[in-house]
């Protein structure tokens, strides 16, 4: 099974107001389409950039919460993100699983006591088989007509339509008790800290490893370092980096959201790891990757892979580079350096200090 997000709309959730981002694209690119359906194109690599407080991390949290809401059928998972509880909040997501296109549309009406129940929560779910000649747009049109005819029911009953989906594994990369994970972990940590000699499993303990250095050893158990003060912040981040890299290499997931795992890591190392992730990403998979590193703009990726989040009057919206740069000769790096997308941080405020 595979999960691919095609379209997302958010309103009054976190800092998102009338927010819309689409992950299809018009022109065919090698390997960026649903396997067996060459016209069904989707953005396989999604680099998400933007200044501080523009919603990069929040976007990942909301996406994860939507899937958790589907799985747990607990409205609190979503309602805790509602920004103004006196107003209607909603989300809509189109996603692919097992050659079917699904749409879940949820509306949360305000209540006098701010308590949400089935009385003020409406969820509609429709789906359609993806046919051989379909693209996303033609499939989405069928969903549009189905939404008009869909019947209203208790939101928990409606969510049962998605019970079979592999929701519980989304974003849960974790620690793997296998040789592949150990190999990735050792090489990842040694890249980040050359003083590390080796990483070995501790057979007597579950999910436990020991990092061996020349003059000390550091224990890792269940993804946590027992004496982490002995390592740098960048090396500590290696645990999360190893988890997502090993998952991509093994193809244990199809949807990945890597949120600024390289904040403390040298630029060339980050580019090296991102290139590895992209090269190892399996068919019918999708990677979301947030970063502040402008050197990533120089990677040989399609322009539609780059999304810039911008906050304007407390409203966040997304700018896709391909909407502005139409020619193959257009330089993405030059566009950002010249602030074509108007997403540069407001450095003038520093001058006012």
């Amino acid at each position: 099974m595979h999960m691919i997000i095609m379209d997302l709309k958010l309103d009054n959730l976190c800092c998102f107001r009338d927010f819309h981002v689409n992950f299809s694209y018009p022109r065919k690119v090698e390997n960026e389409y649903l396997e067996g359906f060459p016209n069904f194109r989707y953005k396989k690599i999604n680099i998400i950039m933007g200044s501080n407080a523009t919603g990069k991390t929040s976007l990942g949290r909301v996406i994860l919460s939507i899937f958790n809401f589907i799985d747990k059928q607990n409205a609190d998972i979503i309602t805790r993100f509602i920004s103004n509880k006196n107003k209607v909040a909603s989300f809509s997501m189109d996603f692919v699983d097992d050659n079917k296109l699904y749409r879940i549309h949820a509306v949360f009406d305000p209540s006098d006591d701010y308590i949400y129940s089935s009385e003020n929560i409406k969820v509609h779910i429709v789906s359609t088989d993806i046919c051989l000649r379909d693209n996303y747009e033609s499939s989405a049109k069928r969903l549009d007509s189905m939404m008009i005819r869909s019947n209203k029911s208790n939101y928990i009953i409606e969510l049962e339509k998605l019970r079979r989906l592999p929701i519980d594994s989304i974003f849960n990369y974790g620690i793997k008790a296998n040789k592949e994970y150990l190999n990735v972990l050792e090489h990842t940590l040694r890249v980040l800290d050359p003083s590390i000699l080796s990483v070995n499993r501790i057979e007597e303990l579950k999910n436990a490893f020991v990092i061996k250095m020349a003059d000390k050893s550091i224990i890792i158990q269940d993804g946590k370092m027992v004496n982490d003060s002995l390592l740098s912040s960048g090396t500590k981040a290696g645990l999360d980096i190893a988890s997502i890299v090993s998952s991509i290499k093994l193809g244990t997931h199809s949807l990945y959201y890597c949120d600024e795992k390289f904040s403390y890591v040298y630029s060339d190392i980050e580019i090296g790891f991102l290139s590895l992730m992209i090269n190892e990403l399996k068919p019918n998979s999708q990677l979301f990757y947030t970063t502040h590193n402008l050197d990533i703009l120089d990677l040989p990726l399609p322009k539609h892979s780059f999304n810039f989040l911008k906050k304007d009057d407390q409203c966040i919206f997304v700018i896709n580079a391909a909407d502005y740069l139409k020619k193959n000769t257009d330089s993405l790096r030059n566009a950002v350096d010249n602030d074509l997308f108007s997403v540069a941080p407001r450095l003038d405020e520093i001058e006012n200090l």
Side-chain angles (χ1 to χ4, degrees):
M1 291 187 178
H2 45 261
M3 286 267 188
I4 299 168
I5 299 176
M6 297 302 304
D7 193 82
L8 180 66
K9 297 175 182 176
L10 305 172
D11 189 35
N12 195 23
L13 293 173
C14 289
C15 43
F16 300 104
R17 312 282 185 276
D18 295 321
F19 178 85
H20 180 212
V21 58
N22 184 267
F23 299 107
S24 65
Y25 66 92
R27 292 190 300 173
K28 183 176 179 179
V29 176
E30 185 178 1
N31 297 327
E32 284 203 273
Y33 57 87
L34 192 63
E35 195 171 42
F37 302 89
N39 295 324
F40 201 97
R41 297 177 288 272
Y42 73 94
K43 297 174 183 176
K44 190 172 185 178
I45 314 298
N46 296 277
I47 308 298
I48 302 173
M49 309 184 80
S51 300
N52 293 326
T54 54
K56 297 185 296 297
T57 297
S58 295
L59 182 62
R61 287 175 178 168
V62 173
I63 291 173
L64 176 59
S65 296
I66 290 173
F67 284 117
N68 282 336
F69 172 60
I70 294 171
D71 183 40
K72 307 299 182 185
Q73 302 179 357
N74 182 351
D76 291 342
I77 294 173
I78 295 294
T79 57
R80 64 191 178 96
F81 286 111
I82 295 178
S83 179
N84 187 340
K85 288 185 165 38
N86 293 313
K87 294 184 177 181
V88 173
S90 66
F91 73 79
S92 179
M93 178 188 287
D94 290 1
F95 63 93
V96 173
D97 177 75
D98 203 20
N99 299 336
K100 293 176 73 75
L101 181 65
Y102 291 84
R103 175 175 297 168
I104 176 171
H105 178 71
V107 177
F108 303 83
D109 291 324
S111 63
D112 294 335
D113 53 7
Y114 300 150
I115 296 176
Y116 295 87
S117 65
S118 58
E119 298 299 320
N120 53 344
I121 300 175
K122 299 294 183 291
V123 175
H124 290 178
I125 296 172
V126 293
S127 65
T128 182
D129 291 328
I130 300 172
C131 301
L132 179 61
R133 298 183 181 278
D134 277 345
N135 55 25
Y136 164 71
E137 290 72 21
S138 62
S139 300
K141 284 183 179 179
R142 292 200 297 271
L143 295 185
D144 292 340
S145 61
M146 296 168 70
M147 289 292 293
I148 296 174
R149 301 192 303 269
S150 64
N151 296 319
K152 296 181 179 179
S153 62
N154 181 281
Y155 78 91
I156 294 179
I157 296 175
E158 191 73 358
L159 289 174
E160 285 292 327
K161 294 180 180 179
L162 301 178
R163 172 59 69 182
R164 55 170 290 277
L165 300 182
I167 302 297
D168 58 342
S169 65
I170 291 179
F171 301 162
N172 184 23
Y173 313 122
I175 302 297
K176 312 292 190 306
N178 54 52
K179 292 182 179 180
E180 178 68 31
Y181 174 77
L182 180 60
N183 179 63
V184 171
L185 178 62
E186 178 174 332
H187 285 86
T188 297
L189 294 181
R190 290 178 65 182
V191 167
L192 299 174
D193 187 345
S195 67
I196 292 175
L197 301 177
S198 65
V199 180
N200 302 299
R201 284 189 62 184
I202 302 176
E203 299 296 339
E204 296 80 8
L205 298 175
K206 183 179 180 181
N207 290 333
F209 305 86
V210 57
I211 302 173
K212 292 188 176 181
M213 308 173 80
D215 56 346
K216 56 182 175 284
S217 296
I218 299 170
I219 304 297
I220 305 171
Q221 187 169 21
D222 293 326
K224 296 181 180 180
M225 294 184 182
V226 175
N227 43 351
D228 62 357
S229 61
L230 301 176
L231 295 176
S232 68
S233 297
T235 307
K236 295 174 193 174
L239 292 179
D240 290 334
I241 295 170
S243 292
I244 191 170
V245 169
S246 63
S247 293
I248 291 175
K249 284 175 67 67
L250 291 171
T252 55
H253 297 69
S254 61
L255 185 61
Y256 302 91
Y257 202 100
C258 184
D259 183 34
E260 296 187 19
K261 303 297 185 185
F262 296 86
S263 299
Y264 304 100
V265 176
Y266 184 61
S267 175
D268 285 352
I269 293 177
E270 178 179 3
I271 290 174
F273 273 106
L274 175 57
S275 299
L276 174 64
M277 292 181 193
I278 293 172
N279 290 335
E280 293 288 343
L281 201 61
K282 303 297 185 288
N284 293 347
S285 297
Q286 192 174 36
L287 172 64
F288 297 87
Y289 186 94
T290 72
T291 183
H292 287 281
N293 187 356
L294 295 183
D295 290 339
I296 286 176
L297 297 170
D298 297 323
L299 287 176
L301 292 171
K303 293 182 177 67
H304 66 237
S305 297
F306 292 89
N307 301 281
F308 299 87
L309 296 185
K310 179 180 179 180
K311 181 182 286 187
D312 188 12
D313 293 330
Q314 302 305 308
C315 182
I316 292 175
F317 57 96
V318 63
I319 297 171
N320 187 262
D323 293 335
Y324 288 73
L325 306 177
K326 304 293 186 179
K327 300 178 182 178
N328 292 332
T329 55
D330 289 337
S331 169
L332 179 60
R333 184 62 180 259
N334 287 342
V336 173
D337 287 344
N338 291 290
D339 201 21
L340 174 65
F341 312 128
S342 300
V343 293
R346 296 188 57 184
L347 298 180
D348 57 303
E349 293 294 335
I350 298 177
E351 300 176 358
N352 296 329
L353 294 177

